[in-house]
Each structure stands twice: as C-alpha cells, then as structure tokens.
Amino acid sequence: MSFMQKLMEGHEGGLAHETMTPMQKIALRFVVIGLLFYGLAALEGMIMRLHEIKPLPMIDESHFFSIMTVHPMVGIFGSSYMIVFGAFLFLTPYLMKKPIYSVKLADLSWKFIAAGTFIMWLAGFLFHYAPLYTLYWPLPVDFKQFTIIGGITYIVGVVGIMIGTFLFTYNIFKTILYTPKGWEKQPAWDLLKSALGLEGLLNFFRRKKKEHLVPLPIAAISRGTIDMGLNAIVISSAGVLILIYFLGELFGASLKDTWVDALLYKNIFWWGLDLIADGLVLIFVAGTWYLLAMLISGKDLFMQNIARAALFLEMVVSWTVWSHHLMSDQGQPNILKVVSGEMVTAFELITQGIAVFITLVTLWRARPLKMSNELKFLLGGILGFMLAVPAGIIQADLGMNRILHNTQWIIGTHVHVAILVGLTMTLYSAIYILLPILTNGAKLYSQKLADLHFWLHLIGGIGMGAFMGMAGMDGMLRRALYLNGEYNTYMILAGICGAMLLLAFAIFLYNIVMSIGVKGLINIYKPATIQTNEVVPPQKESE
C-alpha cells in the first residue's frame, strides 16, 4: 500500500467516525486545532531563535516584536486552552456519568477561541501590533508606535477568546450541577460543595466523614475553572479599557494621564493573569496527574483526602500570589512584596510538592508498570515542574528578583520549562491515553515515532530553557533584541534545542494523522451521525 493510501485510510483500527458521539467529535476538534496552534507557536519561537542568532532578511524589528507579542498568546490560549478544554468537556460528563449540559455551547466555545486566536495573531502578522506584554501598562495606544487597526484587531481577538472561555466555564459547572431530563433530582448544592472542596474541608472536623459526590479530577477541573472565569473577567476588562483609550486618542481626548491609577491597574491585571500563570496551570495539572495516575495504575489515588485539600489550598494560594510579578516595581508596597511575593509564592513549592508525591506514590504502589507512552510523558511532565517551580521560587526573592526579573532566566528556565516540559508533556500524556477513547479504538501508527517524540521533546525543552537561563544569568535581557552577537553561543544552543522541539511536534503530528487518517480528521468536523449523547439514567435498586 502506498504512503497516500495509508494516509487516507488510516492505520489499523482507525477512526470509527460513523459511531462517534457529538462530544467525542467536539473534544477532537478542540485537540486538533490546539495542536495546530501549538505548531504555529513553535514555528514562531523558532523564527525568534534564528533571528536572535543572525537577523533574518524578511523580519524587521517591528515584526520581530509583534511575533514576540502573539507567540505566548497563541501558545497559551490557542494551544493549551484548546487542548485542556477539549479534554475536560469530554471528561466532565464522562466522569460524572451524565450528558454534557450543552453540546451547542461546547461547539461554540472552540469556534470562538479558535477564531479569536487567529484574529489576534493577524494583528501581529498583518499590522505588527507589538505592545510586548499583552495588555500590560502603559496601555499600548500610542498611534506613533501602533496603528489603531492593529490594536482593535488584537482586542477583538482577545474578546473572542474570552467569550469562548466564559462558555466553557458555564458549561462545565452546569454539567456538574444540573439534573438531566428524566433523571431523579440531583443535589446541586451538595455537588457544588464537593466540587469546590468545601465538603472535604468540613470532613476534617467531622467524626463521621461524608462521601465525596464528585470524583477527584472533577474537583480539580471545577476549581481551576473558577480561576479561568475570574481571569477572563480581568482580561476582558483590560481589553475594553484599551478600546476606550483608543477612542480617546482617536478623538483627541487622551486619557493617558487621567482616569486610571497605573499601580492599581498593574495589581488587578497581574492578579487576573496570575490566576492562569500560578493557579490554573498548577490546579489543572495536578488534577490531570491524579487522573492519569489512576488510569495508568488502575488503582485509587494515594491520600485522596489530602489531595482534595491541597487542591483547595492551591486555589486560595492562586488568589493571593500575584505580587511576585511586581517585586521590582518601585511603587509596589513592601508588605505585598514580602507577604504575597515571597511568602505565599514559596507555599507553591509545598502544594506542588504534595501533588508530585501523591502521583508518584500512586504509581509506585502499582508497580511493575509498563513504560507506556502516557506514563513516560506523565513522568516527563512531573520532571518539568520539578525544575520550573523551584526556579520560580528562586526568582521570588527580593534580592534574586532584582538580578533575574528582566532577563532570559525567567522566560527560559522558569516559563518555557514549565510550559513546554511540565504542561505540554502532561497534555501529551493525556492525548496518548485518550486517543483510543475518543476515536473508538484507533491504534497508534508507530511506537518508534512516539519514543522519538518523547526524547526529542524532553531534551529539547529542558535544553532550551537551560541555555536561555544561562544567557539571562550572563545579563541577556528579555523583550530585547541583540544584533551584535554578544550571546550567540547560548542562542545557537537554544536554537538547536528549539529545532528538536519543532521536529518532535512534526513527528507527533505525523504519527497521529497516520493513526486516524486524513479522512478521519475531515470527518471530525462533520456533524455526528448520532445527534444525542444522552446517558441512561441510573436505575433505583428497586428497579
């Protein structure tokens, strides 16, 4: 059989799209688009790596910084959000053993986020909109530097992403709390208490413990979703504020020096953004680790009650940790720098350490285990956070922060290792284990390619973060372009590791496409033959 015949037919046991439920298809739509956006973000990262080694003739300075602006947004919202949303919209009804509240809302969610990410990307690609740090102060409304069409396009894209996020948040909580038609009335308030961890917290003070009504992964999903909803409110408000400032500049009534206090804005902005950076990621990742550990080991999670309490504690920490982003801001009160910036941030080492310990012990108790793809990538994801979280704690020191804050250390050793190794390898583990579930038994095309994907991604991700961090320790600033070759050795080594990451993704994508076939991919975006995904109501014992 020729290569194209294999590609069109898919591998043995390929995608049985005729029998897929709507939620299987929608989950795959999220994941496929998320992977494509990941590829775009990886390509943009490689372009920046190459340009920092030797300027590319087709990239001028404004285009370089516009790539730097949209690169993290495409990676976080277009890729990570999409993959996480797809998995959780499928897993929430799957684990709760009832249908999703609204298939239509789920379908609208991926469309809004995909369209919003693409529109936001166009603002950088077409109009070179480059405020460097998303929506941060000072608000990027200087018409001498940015075009109004670029700014408006960017904000429209951000708003689209946030609308999709609100739809996801609403759908998740309604699915947990609502009673499907024809079912016996479900205790919504008790379900909410269990999902938020209040029931587990009260159990510490009860002689007779109450049973948890929602599975542990649902607790993580619900608590992370709260942070996601709060973040969407803050980011949407920042976008609307920028539009108001744009209109003021356009009509000759500048609002730059009036109306909004800069320090207050920065605190609110970082509070909202840190709900993702230090709350949402750690909560969702811990919940995903727990689910993966249970699925891989086939055993209950070790210390489940402690795990639930730690998730609740992580949510509280995520609401109070934002000030470590403002430790070098001279106007920030010292009490916030010390309490929120240093002390609360250090507590993340404890909450994440608990998650690592519980996950590893759960796996250890089930030994011997086959070193499957999902297990390898889970261990890789844990290693990524074991490297990145301590790097963040080092930065959250008033003395070290002055040295490291505005350098490549923070974006390389902390951020890229956390996202590329910790988060992304965790998501790859989830994709490998969910692939046969979502595709009704599709088999992986090549195990050798999966092994190559693992090693290239692991070494490339850690290596790129390490070499960027070394450059930062030598004084290389972030959000700066060096054209004199001063840091070329580090940048060449980081570029080689970046190429490994890009190659790893290409291998993974090829392996997945060959597993389900192009025809199967196309059918994911066609309406499902089965127009309902209802679950049979649980029967009473008397029946």
Side-chain angles (χ1 to χ4, degrees):
M1 185 180 289
S2 69
F3 167 77
M4 285 307 296
Q5 285 175 321
K6 285 184 180 180
L7 194 62
M8 292 305 295
E9 291 298 324
H11 192 51
E12 180 183 355
L15 187 62
H17 55 82
E18 295 86 356
T19 58
M20 292 178 69
T21 67
M23 278 316 303
Q24 283 177 308
K25 285 198 170 190
I26 289 173
L28 285 169
R29 290 170 191 173
F30 272 99
V31 172
V32 169
I33 297 297
L35 289 174
L36 291 176
F37 275 127
Y38 174 85
L40 176 60
L43 182 61
E44 288 175 332
M46 199 64 216
I47 290 172
M48 287 190 287
R49 295 271 76 80
L50 292 173
H51 194 75
E52 287 176 330
I53 297 169
K54 184 177 182 180
L56 303 173
M58 72 290 293
I59 304 291
D60 59 19
E61 187 173 295
S62 67
H63 195 186
F64 176 84
F65 287 114
S66 69
I67 293 174
M68 187 180 289
T69 295
V70 298
H71 169 68
M73 302 293 276
V74 171
I76 293 170
F77 295 114
S79 178
S80 298
Y81 260 41
M82 290 286 276
I83 295 172
V84 166
F85 285 14
F88 288 170
L89 281 169
F90 176 78
L91 286 171
T92 299
Y94 187 83
L95 295 173
M96 292 295 294
K97 297 181 174 59
K98 63 180 178 180
I100 189 81
Y101 173 71
S102 173
V103 173
K104 290 182 179 179
L105 287 182
D107 200 43
L108 279 174
S109 183
W110 80 262
K111 290 175 181 175
F112 268 106
I113 297 173
T117 303
F118 181 70
I119 291 169
M120 181 183 59
W121 177 80
L122 284 178
F125 183 74
L126 293 180
F127 308 114
H128 293 188
Y129 186 68
L132 281 188
Y133 213 88
T134 61
L135 312 172
Y136 198 34
W137 194 275
L139 296 181
V141 296
D142 187 351
F143 290 164
K144 295 179 182 177
Q145 187 176 4
F146 309 117
T147 63
I148 186 170
I149 185 65
I152 290 175
T153 302
Y154 187 83
I155 299 304
V156 167
V158 170
V159 171
I161 293 169
M162 295 307 128
I163 290 173
T165 302
F166 283 127
L167 295 177
F168 165 81
T169 302
Y170 180 76
N171 213 3
I172 286 290
F173 273 102
K174 286 295 290 187
T175 299
I176 294 171
L177 303 179
Y178 91 117
T179 300
K181 187 177 179 180
W183 287 39
E184 184 179 346
K185 180 67 177 177
Q186 296 197 336
W189 173 240
D190 290 336
L191 285 168
L192 182 62
K193 286 194 298 182
S194 180
L196 297 182
L198 297 177
E199 202 67 78
L201 195 63
L202 292 173
N203 272 345
F204 279 104
F205 307 99
R206 291 173 176 149
R207 289 184 179 179
K208 187 177 181 181
K209 312 298 183 186
K210 282 193 175 181
E211 183 182 355
H212 297 291
L213 296 182
V214 304
L216 180 57
I218 295 295
I221 291 171
S222 61
R223 291 168 216 181
T225 301
I226 290 174
D227 278 3
M228 186 172 283
L230 292 172
N231 167 266
I233 293 172
V234 172
I235 299 300
S236 298
S237 300
V240 170
L241 184 62
I242 287 181
L243 285 179
I244 294 172
Y245 270 64
F246 262 126
L247 293 174
E249 295 291 320
L250 187 63
F251 293 104
S254 177
L255 302 172
K256 285 182 182 177
D257 301 320
T258 60
W259 205 41
V260 174
D261 179 80
L263 185 60
L264 177 62
Y265 175 90
K266 287 190 284 187
N267 273 275
I268 293 174
F269 174 84
W270 273 116
W271 178 79
L273 198 64
D274 218 48
L275 291 174
I276 290 179
D278 289 88
L280 172 65
V281 168
L282 298 185
I283 293 171
F284 273 174
V285 164
T288 304
W289 287 352
Y290 297 153
L291 176 61
L292 290 169
M294 288 187 287
L295 291 173
I296 292 168
S297 67
K299 294 184 177 295
D300 290 335
L301 193 73
F302 179 66
M303 296 193 335
Q304 280 208 34
N305 287 327
I306 300 298
R308 288 177 183 268
L311 285 171
F312 180 82
L313 184 60
E314 183 62 67
M315 182 175 69
V316 175
V317 169
S318 73
W319 295 345
T320 54
V321 77
W322 80 94
S323 198
H324 60 224
H325 292 281
L326 294 165
M327 292 176 74
S328 293
D329 195 306
Q330 296 304 307
Q332 185 73 349
N334 287 331
I335 186 67
L336 286 178
K337 292 181 180 181
V338 173
V339 175
S340 172
E342 289 186 320
M343 296 173 66
V344 179
T345 300
F347 213 82
E348 289 189 328
L349 197 60
I350 297 174
T351 55
Q352 196 67 11
I354 291 172
V356 170
F357 176 75
I358 289 174
T359 304
L360 292 179
V361 171
T362 301
L363 295 171
W364 177 259
R365 295 171 76 196
R367 67 190 190 282
L369 289 173
K370 179 185 177 183
M371 191 56 73
S372 60
N373 293 321
E374 48 268 26
L375 179 56
K376 284 189 296 189
F377 277 90
L378 171 58
L379 295 175
I382 291 173
L383 175 61
F385 277 106
M386 289 176 68
L387 294 171
V389 172
I393 303 302
I394 290 172
Q395 293 157 207
D397 171 85
L398 282 169
M400 293 299 293
N401 190 266
R402 288 187 175 275
I403 300 170
L404 299 173
H405 177 69
N406 199 37
T407 70
Q408 290 282 332
W409 163 278
I410 186 171
I411 203 66
T413 308
H414 177 52
V415 176
H416 274 81
V417 172
I419 292 177
L420 287 175
V421 184
L423 176 60
T424 303
M425 293 195 81
T426 299
L427 292 178
Y428 276 138
S429 176
I431 290 171
Y432 276 116
I433 203 168
L434 288 176
L435 180 66
I437 298 173
L438 288 173
T439 58
N440 293 331
K443 295 181 180 179
L444 195 64
Y445 174 69
S446 170
Q447 181 55 46
K448 289 183 179 179
L449 290 180
D451 292 338
L452 193 57
H453 169 220
F454 171 78
W455 288 112
L456 284 172
H457 189 97
L458 181 68
I459 297 170
I462 294 176
M464 189 173 77
F467 291 124
M468 290 172 69
M470 292 176 193
M473 292 173 70
D474 269 3
M476 185 177 182
L477 301 178
R478 57 175 174 156
R479 308 186 202 126
L481 183 59
Y482 294 83
L483 301 178
N484 58 1
E486 182 178 358
Y487 299 99
N488 256 15
T489 301
Y490 294 124
M491 290 301 98
I492 289 171
L493 292 171
I496 292 171
C497 292
M500 293 171 68
L501 286 166
L502 195 57
L503 179 59
F505 171 72
I507 289 170
F508 168 76
L509 193 63
Y510 171 81
N511 209 7
I512 294 298
V513 171
M514 291 297 290
S515 299
I516 64 180
V518 170
K519 191 179 293 184
L521 281 173
I522 294 171
N523 276 284
I524 288 171
Y525 293 90
K526 291 182 178 180
T529 303
I530 302 173
Q531 293 302 324
T532 180
N533 64 326
E534 289 187 1
V535 178
V536 177
Q539 301 296 310
K540 296 180 181 179
E541 289 185 7
S542 59
E543 298 174 342

